[in-house]
Amino acid sequence: MRHPLSRPAARLAPLLAGLALAAPLAASAAPDLDDWGAVRDAARGQNVYWNAWGGDTRTNGYIAWVAQRMAERHGVEVVHVKLDDTGTAVSRVVAEKAAGNVDEGSIDLIWINGENFAAMRERELLYGPFAEALPNFALTRPEANPEVVTDFTLPTEGYESPWGKAQITFYYDSRELRGDSDELRGDGEGVAEPPGSIEALLDWARAHPGRFTYPRIPDFTGSTFLKQALIALTDRREALYAPVEESDFAAVTAPLWEYLDALHPHLWRDGRQFPDSGPALRGLMGDGELALAFTFYPSEPAAAVADFELPESTRSYVLDDGTLGNVHFVAIPFNSPHKAGALVLANFLLSPEAQAHKQDLTVWGDRTVLDVAHLDEATRSLFAIDAENPAMLAPEALHKTLAEPHPSWMTALQAAWQARYTAR
Amino acid sequence: MLLRLTPTLIVTLLVGPILAGLAMALLPAFGYLPALGGESLSLAPWRELLAQPGLARSTGLSLAVGLVTTAVSLAAVLLFLAGAAGTRLDRWLRRAVSPLLSLPHAAAAFGLAFLIAPSGLIARLLSPGLTGWERPPDLVILQDPWGLSLMAGLILKEIPFLLLMSLAALPQLDAPRRVAMARSLGYRPTIAWLKTVAPALYPLIRLPVYAVIAFATSVVDVALILGPTLPPTLAVAVLEWFNDPDLSMRFLAAAGAVLQLGVTLAALALWWALECLVRRLGKRWLVNGARVRGDRLLRLAGRGILLANTLAAGLGLVGLALASLAGFWRFPAALPDPFTLQHWQRALPTLGGPVTTTLLIAVAATLPALVLALAALENEQRGARRPAQGRLRSALTLLYLPLIVPQIAFLFGLVVLLEGLGLRARLGLVIFAHLLFVLPYVFLSLAEAYRRLDPRWARLALSLGHSPAGVFWRVRLPMLLAPLLTAAAVGLAVSIGQYLPTLLPGAGRVATVTTEAVALAGGGNGRVIGVWALVQAALPLLGFIVALGLPRLLWSNRRGLRGTP
Amino acid sequence: MNTPTVLRLEQVRIALAGRLLVEVDAEIGPGEVLTLMGPSGVGKSTLLAFIAGFLDPAFAAGGRVSLAGRELTTLPAEARRVGLLFQDPLLFPHLSVAGNLRFGMPRREADKRARIDQALAEVGLAGFGERDPATLSGGQQARVALLRLLLSRPAAALLDEPFSRLDRALRGETRRLVFARLAEAGLPCLLVTHDHEDAEAAGGPVIILE
């Protein structure tokens, strides 16, 4: 997810039109979605290549568990193709289409959302609509939870199936920050409260130079930080929910650059260097280099404490006005040769068993997309969140969710950031 | 008959894909790639390339990293060899060369990162006692914008490479007698070596030196771990453009790949100019009669760098091991508290697949490489042609081609070509790409022993009535078992360490311990990186242990074969 | 065999880059030793290589070499049946003493084992068959090398300074043994040496090259 679609799509349009002529779409081996039994039968014995970002071991461990279950239950061999960047997979499908490969693609399922989904939809690289045909999809109650069918303002139209929920969550070491233990830090930064807003973050960074940073753009988590800051700072928030071309980018984003220019000198490494990814922030927190960090996965801090990566004094919170949240999905490329297997896998990912296992702190801690309140009693108990865990965010904190801007903003912000801060 | 074709076969095998790959990078660089709608030649990709933020800096960085890495590594090796006096330390440093060489670049880079990071082992050992640091200092050490940590990571691996190449070449020079002669004229030993042996040694290791320049200017995996980020080195930038979902970026990436080739060639040209300069200045120095001053300093410098290098690699591994066993590890504690096996237990189920794939690729690339190298060398022997003469020798210098053309430049084009041809045998392509790099190293490692084997053994066996084939199977092979296994271990190690030749032809689907370890780099989870980097380091080492141990076991009752011939 | 095993060198000329190195015309009868002497670099060993079939292609050679009436120069080395003894015994380090002897024996020879045991006993090495050649003394190794040559049933023997690496005390003894056994086997021998004592012990004609 680190790579931006940094070129304007307009320039690509004629090229793609030419390609579409050269390689007509053939929905290869498309299973009959009305007959789920037949889909399951067709899936048996298939190898499903699931391309998913592989930068986090907990996610990888969960996917390995899924693979094992799929082999046992459905006779489907799931191969996790670990990406360092979801853009790579998009590029691969584009390349395959360009080479006229319409039925023997190398990707069967892809973990995706936001600008990558928008790009694949725009270029007609996805198979679908399929989501509503998945028996477990109804458990998400889309009519009551529009976020499971909306991806960065775009309707998913059944071309991707929801998998999990993320929301920006800040965390810090209370022993250091609040001076809960005064044995070590006697340097005066002791009793400060963690910043509750983007504006307060700047003051906090001034007071604690070198103790905060964000991942290097175009990293996904880093880009989300930019959007979070932009939402807080701009006076034209509504413009962010329409394509970027429809507004004056420079004017809308001017407060953001002003803010970043002021913030950077007080960041880790004076803002001349940024960590590679969201998980890298966690590593720096664990090493004591940072005092404040954030993540897209609300339960990550608690999980990391259990894994010895963060100290037990870790605490989580969200900003006072709420933080950005989104749903992440899985989609099937148009040229996947194992669509039946991919469908059965997507359906399994939505099962209460798989969703509950995913939410388990000791496994991954990614929140479920199912409407838990409407599940039956026994199933609901699987999703109980351990409110006792001190590093865990209080569940009510997550009600303050800000919606993702239109995907074109992500791309534009990334390009502008890179042009502004590369080789500076 | 088949034997006679092997040199041609090898050269075709190596040169063909490289030229094809370069061509397929060159065409899109000038806008021609019909599959993507580029039907006419244009300079647009170059204009776009030049407009990329930080391009000049990326290019300069790659050039500087290549030259500085090579200069420091070469100087360290020459100074060490000059000052080595056969003390226990010197012998130990020499013995450490082979295991160091087997250490994959990525693992070495991770180890170094664990050592020198602001929260690394060194800072922990010195803190807070000597430094007063209660928490990691906010210092730019890793991924510094000047590429210093990248250079250090490369030097860590290039010193053992150049040292081994020098040790292989030295026996031809009769260094002890040259030094003895100079000493009898009043030269101190180190100066004597530098003035009488080094000028003769350099031409013999010139090609390996060029390979180091090419590698350091274009390396990807080490640069991903230790290199600067805003902007990254040119090769890393090209890889990012290549992976961009916007396919029109491929034209830009192709131009970048061609630029990378240019940068590497420029670095080689600069080095060559430097060679001329040093030769000219050196001529006067060689005969200026200075024979005493600086001897001690030079000797200490050589040994010091070698010692620091070996210790850094070793301590880096220790750091990796500690991290892989670490529970929470608050700075500045020197040891984690508590220790836990959890990271290993968790990684174990996911290790199997990549380890199997890694070994499969390594064996599948090394076996044909061994067969081809043996066939070419045997052909050379039967032709009774001395390696120093004839066209064969010059043709086989082409073996260095894959080591001198930057990987990103031709692999990139090769992948475009293969995608165009619709080839989808991913694993097969990866094995083939590995063969391109395994074959030269296997050949170079085997050739020395093969050519040095006393020709009288073969003559004797022939005169006793054995056919040439019989001599090969019953005399040469058993007598060369140890070097053969060493060459196999070198081949395996080279294959295990490959990053780009796995990533690009494998379309990311082929996961080896190296690609997995590098992919984890961005995650910044030191504990998991520790596990994977150790596994990555252990695999080639196992190969070397087998290569050293097996002959001892097989020839346990044959004293004449127990030492490495 | 009707034709007596005579090694005949007819107008053999070897040149390197147009410069004539050796020119020999000689006939060596069964059990006879022809000694070639001369300073290093005159091409003594080159002549041996030519006869045995290992001449480097850089050299230009002319003339005929025949052994027991067979023309040798057109045959590959392994078919010439010309045995070699070098300065070093060159016992294959990966084979046992007996393995070395067996390595040289014709493929279909009957009763190899008994012949090996007997041959070893005759030179005072009884029971050495399974030994690692690297554990033998210099003199013992020289004897094994001689046995290997004899057991391979050559039709002629070429000796390239075979005694020069032995110390003085051993040299005389070994020399006597070698020449006695070669004569006994009735082989025509060509000896290349620096050492006048070798030539004297060989007892045959001497050609001095310069």
Side-chain angles (χ1 to χ4, degrees), chain A residues 133-221:
Chain A
L134 304 178
N136 288 332
F137 180 70
L139 301 177
T140 63
R141 297 219 319 137
E143 62 284 3
N145 303 290
E147 72 269 20
V148 300
V149 287
T150 315
D151 188 356
F152 285 40
T153 71
L154 295 183
T156 62
E157 292 171 338
Y159 281 86
E160 52 182 357
S161 154
W163 185 28
K165 270 186 195 168
Q167 178 165 358
I168 290 282
T169 304
F170 284 76
Y171 59 99
Y172 60 96
D173 183 353
S174 64
R175 185 166 90 151
E176 177 171 345
L177 208 62
R178 289 209 177 118
D180 287 4
S181 158
D182 49 12
E183 55 183 281
L184 282 177
R185 331 279 168 206
D187 49 8
E189 68 180 44
V191 280
E193 281 293 321
S197 68
I198 288 293
E199 291 85 350
L201 178 62
L202 179 56
D203 296 333
W204 186 91
R206 281 204 186 100
H208 305 84
R211 310 287 283 150
F212 176 76
T213 189
Y214 60 93
R216 184 175 64 254
I217 312 303
D219 173 74
F220 189 71
T221 313

Side-chain angles (χ1 to χ4, degrees), chain A residues 300-315 389 391, chain B residues 328:
Chain A
E300 179 186 306
V305 171
D307 277 358
F308 305 110
E309 283 187 64
L310 293 176
E312 288 175 7
S313 42
T314 301
R315 300 291 178 270
N389 190 322
Chain B
F328 189 64

Side-chain angles (χ1 to χ4, degrees), chain B residues 81 169-182 192-193 196-198:
Chain B
L81 287 172
L170 271 176
Q172 303 174 36
L173 297 178
D174 205 359
R177 274 173 57 191
R178 288 177 190 234
V179 172
M181 166 58 70
W193 195 95
T196 62
V197 182

Side-chain angles (χ1 to χ4, degrees), chain B residues 225-287:
Chain B
I225 298 163
L226 294 172
T229 50
L230 282 175
T233 59
L234 184 59
V236 173
V238 171
L239 185 65
E240 287 182 2
W241 296 327
F242 181 71
N243 281 338
D244 198 285
D246 181 347
L247 269 206
S248 65
M249 290 286 274
R250 295 245 173 142
F251 293 100
L252 166 64
V258 174
L259 179 62
Q260 174 66 62
L261 181 65
V263 166
T264 301
L265 291 179
L268 289 170
L270 275 173
W271 184 267
W272 181 79
L274 216 62
E275 266 179 25
C276 293
L277 189 72
V278 168
R279 203 176 307 134
R280 178 165 296 184
L281 297 178
K283 237 179 226 162
R284 217 171 303 151
W285 175 75
L286 284 180
V287 294

